Amino acid sequence: MTTEPLPVTAAASPPLPAAAPYTLSGDVLHHHWLPVASVAEVQEKGLLGVQLLGEPLVVAVLNGGDLNGGCEVWQDLCIHRGAKLSLGRVDGSQLHCPYHGWVYASGGQCVKFPAHPEQTPPAKAAARTYRAQEAYGLIWACLGEPQAELPAFPEWGDVSFHKTWCGPYTFRASAPRVVENFLDVAHFPYVHEGILGAKDVPEIPDYDLSVQGTQITASGIRVYQPDPDGTGVGRYVEYTYRVLGPLSASFDKIDEDGRVFSIFMSVTPVTETLSRAWFAVALNYPGLSGEALRAFQDHVASQDLPIVESQWPERLPLDLQAELHLRSDRVAIAYRRMLGEIGMTFGTA
């Protein structure tokens, strides 16, 4: 298996806005695993401030830089005077607050007050901690009680696929809007003309659709693409889309020679109207280099960006009467219905 690392810095990812400490509202997303950072950037910095569902978080490696022991995700807040812990430093298995030097151990408990070294910190002197795990080269966090497994990405462990991480791409739009755009084939001839579609063949054939809980599969979507994989060779391809959860999806597109080009995508809902989309491209055939493939995907994402950010309302409408739908929108309709059925409110209207 060959896997390209995630780029530590993405040009399409500007700094996150400031956010006030957030009180969990009980939205269904608090009980799902969501990506917050790449392993590469956490390993490089050891301490990283991020946001998830409006909550400021700090991702820390408290094992002397060894991710094998896992990383930890805490609220980015020192309980003493509210400073951001992400501005501090990691020393082995301890995190030092930048303001008064409070020392936090793995698990979030403060173990030392430098101003009063003789005093044992009480149990309440602790950071709020959240569940975290590493998978697919990403760090995932859950702010509540996990009620679902991580979204499936079988190509990650398949040695016949070459994987390249792209992004993250920052969208000033709600996360469900970003996911729905990923599932949409009919926009290819217009937004991605000359690459993923051609205006003289805009027709979308009928396709098969199945729904099982939060898992949605749309298959048999055959379209012509002038440049389906960045090599510049036009082909007919057949798509199979899979919705893997509220904010994760994937597709396989297979050309007439049986070659498979797949993308696994998961979105970080930073706030209700700010999102980061992580893309892993997987090919089971020789193709572009990792650098060239990232450039190809960067270009495709740059075409989606202004369109998705222009959509109104910013939050995805779950009332199917709010917008008009066509037969080619069946997968999007199923996605909106699923979000409504599980009670998702964050980023929806």
Side-chain angles (χ1 to χ4, degrees), residues 27 73 79 87 91 99 108 117 119 123 127 168 197 207 240 249 307 324 332:
D27 186 89
V73 175
I79 196 172
L87 298 178
D91 181 11
Y99 200 6
Q119 184 177 345
Y207 52 84
T240 297
I307 299 298
L324 297 178

Side-chain angles (χ1 to χ4, degrees), residues 116-242:
H116 306 282
E118 77 289 349
Q119 184 177 345
T120 300
K124 69 179 295 184
R128 177 187 289 176
T129 62
Y130 302 107
R131 291 172 176 80
Q133 63 176 308
E134 181 272 327
Y136 317 141
L138 298 176
I139 304 300
W140 302 73
C142 179
L143 302 187
E145 297 292 331
Q147 295 179 359
E149 300 295 328
L150 282 171
F153 182 13
E155 289 85 355
W156 182 261
D158 188 334
V159 296
S160 66
F161 280 85
H162 171 79
K163 276 76 69 177
T164 300
W165 273 104
C166 305
Y169 304 111
T170 298
F171 288 81
R172 299 195 179 278
S174 73
R177 282 286 194 192
V178 178
V179 174
E180 189 175 85
N181 175 75
F182 178 81
L183 300 172
D184 187 291
V185 181
H187 78 283
F188 288 171
Y190 303 96
V191 179
H192 308 298
E193 183 182 11
I195 303 175
L196 302 182
K199 286 183 179 177
D200 56 345
V201 281
E203 295 82 9
I204 304 300
D206 200 9
Y207 52 84
D208 296 324
L209 183 73
S210 67
V211 180
Q212 295 183 335
T214 59
Q215 310 294 301
I216 302 169
T217 302
S219 58
I221 308 173
R222 188 172 184 268
V223 296
Y224 175 75
Q225 297 189 327
D227 188 8
D229 59 2
T231 61
V233 179
R235 294 174 178 268
Y236 274 95
V237 295
E238 185 172 302
Y239 275 83
T240 297
Y241 279 92
R242 298 177 182 86

Side-chain angles (χ1 to χ4, degrees), residues 12 60 86 247 293 301 323-324:
S86 60
L247 297 181
L293 196 54
E323 295 180 336
L324 297 178

Side-chain angles (χ1 to χ4, degrees), residues 94 100-104 109-117 119-121:
Q94 296 180 327
H100 298 94
W102 280 28
V103 181
Y104 291 85
Q109 179 62 47
C110 180
V111 295
K112 183 178 180 180
F113 301 145
H116 306 282
Q119 184 177 345
T120 300

